[in-house]
Amino acid sequence: METQILKKDQLDTAVEFLRKGELVAFPTETVYGLGALATDERAVKAVYAAKGRPSDNPLIVTVSDAAMMSRFAREVPDRAKKLIDSFWPGPLTILLFVKPGSLPEAVTGGLDTVAFRCPDDSLTHELIAKLGEPIVGPSANTSTKPSPTTAQHVFHDLKGKIAAIVDGGQTEIGLESTIVDLSVKTPIVLRPGEITPEALQKVLGETVLMNNGQAQTSGVPKAPGMKYRHYAPAAPVFIVDHPEDFKQIKFDDQTAFVALDDVLSRLPNKIQSFSLGKNTDEAAHRLFEALRYFDDRPQVKQIYVQGFTHGKICAAYMNRLNKAAGGHHLEPRVR
Ligand code: AMP
Ligand code: MG
């Protein structure tokens, strides 16, 4: 199959593909999603196959508005309405109980909940509204690889496997949406993103918990994706917690440095490096691109990436970086 790259005046072609059960990648403000008609079981199964994704890891359902969502939710509680009023369209995914029989089991992984998201992207909004049905939207990358923030990243991973990619340019935020579970007594963030638990708490006027990997003690995993390898480039990744520790790393062709401009400027010119920009927001935006960049440079055998402790996006950034690094940190020098 030849994968077409579609421009904004070719949305009708994308709608036709989706209606026929074909796969079309689409832009959002976070990362590119891999779209398929959410009500078509065969199309949804093809998404798992194209990504190489384990079938017990459910998919997010992407809608054009809350009215479309309500066709597939068992009920829409007041707190969901509050969050939707404040944050949709935007980088917030909401977990509710699914209306039984309204979606194929392949979407929910057999769970009784379903994750809904309404992206803040005018092309994708128009695409779903024209289709009149929701599309599933996992990140449009090969499973285990860093998520795609450009149409070219999607093409790199999925060319020949999907019908088309709607090219909306580079994504704005660069890290996936916040996922909040509203199917439980106390709302809990299952995946950190740009919208923080504090921001949710403020709107809801009630406590919002943060899943730190320990909240799940028994039963079906709440965020099945958490148990899988994620965001990993070909070379191993190490987190550098203190910027001054970059100086203790041996400089050679096999070693790559990923850090903010002010850190890189204090290191020798000849090192292999990728800039994370000027601040933590820019770093979040560039992290996945940085990790992908060295996959095309096979001489690189280890990648050292700057970690952060401050900034609104810090929790989301460190969550993805920790997974990419498998929890490995550069052994800090004794101070
Ligand atoms: P991605 O496929 O990269 O968009 O990530 C989607 C994330 O949402 C994965 O971590 C899934 O495990 C999670 N997810 C989707 N649906 C559900 C659900 N019903 N319950 C819990 N987590 C979900
Ligand atoms: Mg993903």
Side-chain angles (χ1 to χ4, degrees):
M1 164 188 318
E2 201 191 322
T3 301
Q4 294 185 33
I5 307 242
L6 302 175
K7 297 284 173 208
K8 62 172 187 268
D9 56 355
Q10 294 176 293
L11 280 185
D12 287 339
T13 310
V15 172
E16 268 168 50
F17 278 135
L18 288 166
R19 216 164 254 150
K20 282 193 295 196
E22 306 261 14
L23 310 189
V24 177
F26 59 93
T28 79
E29 77 281 41
T30 58
V31 302
Y32 274 75
L34 180 53
L37 194 57
T39 49
D40 179 342
E41 183 172 19
R42 202 185 48 82
V44 171
K45 286 192 168 155
V47 167
Y48 285 93
K51 279 179 62 82
R53 182 183 174 102
S55 63
D56 63 345
N57 191 4
L59 303 175
I60 291 174
V61 171
T62 311
V63 294
S64 53
D65 53 30
M68 183 179 275
M69 177 188 82
S70 62
R71 289 162 43 201
F72 303 92
R74 199 177 74 190
E75 61 177 316
V76 181
D78 278 344
R79 53 192 190 184
K81 288 180 191 145
K82 281 188 196 165
L83 293 183
I84 287 168
D85 280 348
S86 292
F87 297 111
W88 277 16
L92 180 68
T93 298
I94 294 175
L95 220 80
L96 298 176
F97 287 109
V98 63
K99 188 181 281 181
S102 67
L103 289 167
E105 248 189 39
V107 173
T108 58
L111 302 175
D112 58 1
T113 52
V114 58
F116 293 105
R117 161 145 156 73
C118 179
D120 187 11
D121 183 288
S122 55
L123 283 183
T124 292
H125 184 273
E126 195 183 333
L127 176 73
I128 302 172
K130 277 190 170 173
L131 186 66
E133 298 288 343
I135 56 180
V136 290
S139 49
N141 54 306
T142 301
S143 202
T144 80
K145 287 283 155 199
S147 301
T149 54
T150 65
Q152 288 67 39
H153 293 162
V154 181
F155 192 76
H156 177 274
D157 279 16
L158 299 176
K159 62 176 171 298
K161 295 182 176 175
I162 64 176
I165 303 165
V166 177
D167 189 352
Q170 189 154 39
T171 65
E172 225 176 275
I173 299 173
L175 298 179
E176 302 88 340
S177 60
T178 305
I179 303 182
V180 62
D181 187 354
L182 297 182
S183 73
V184 284
K185 196 155 161 263
T186 307
I188 178 165
V189 170
L190 299 180
R191 176 174 75 185
E194 199 196 46
I195 297 174
T196 60
E198 294 73 35
L200 299 174
Q201 212 154 272
K202 212 161 158 196
V203 169
L204 291 177
E206 61 175 317
T207 306
V208 174
L209 301 173
M210 178 79 190
N211 188 321
N212 53 16
Q214 288 155 5
Q216 186 85 32
T217 51
S218 63
V220 186
K222 260 300 179 188
M226 295 198 289
K227 69 178 189 234
Y228 295 110
R229 195 176 133 86
H230 244 111
Y231 315 121
V237 174
F238 298 89
I239 302 170
V240 181
D241 295 293
H242 305 283
E244 62 274 28
D245 285 344
F246 275 106
K247 295 201 189 101
Q248 78 178 55
I249 302 166
K250 214 174 105 214
F251 308 126
D252 58 29
D253 288 358
Q254 302 189 351
T255 306
F257 295 74
V258 177
L260 292 179
D261 286 339
D262 68 329
V263 175
L264 292 179
S265 69
R266 282 181 264 132
L267 298 173
N269 281 334
K270 59 177 193 295
I271 57 167
Q272 304 248 16
S273 67
F274 190 99
S275 162
L276 287 176
K278 294 187 172 39
N279 53 48
T280 49
D281 281 346
E282 284 184 28
H285 181 91
R286 295 188 190 182
L287 175 65
F288 288 143
E289 186 171 8
L291 297 175
R292 281 180 171 267
Y293 178 80
F294 295 107
D295 273 359
D296 294 332
R297 287 160 181 77
Q299 80 276 15
V300 168
K301 299 287 185 262
Q302 57 264 332
I303 307 173
Y304 290 92
V305 184
Q306 186 173 0
F308 298 112
T309 50
H310 296 294
K312 183 166 95 115
I313 197 79
C314 172
Y317 174 92
M318 289 309 289
N319 169 271
R320 307 316 189 275
L321 179 54
N322 257 304
K323 289 185 184 183
H328 296 294
H329 293 249
L330 171 70
E331 210 55 59
R333 196 171 17 191
V334 182
R335 272 156 224 291

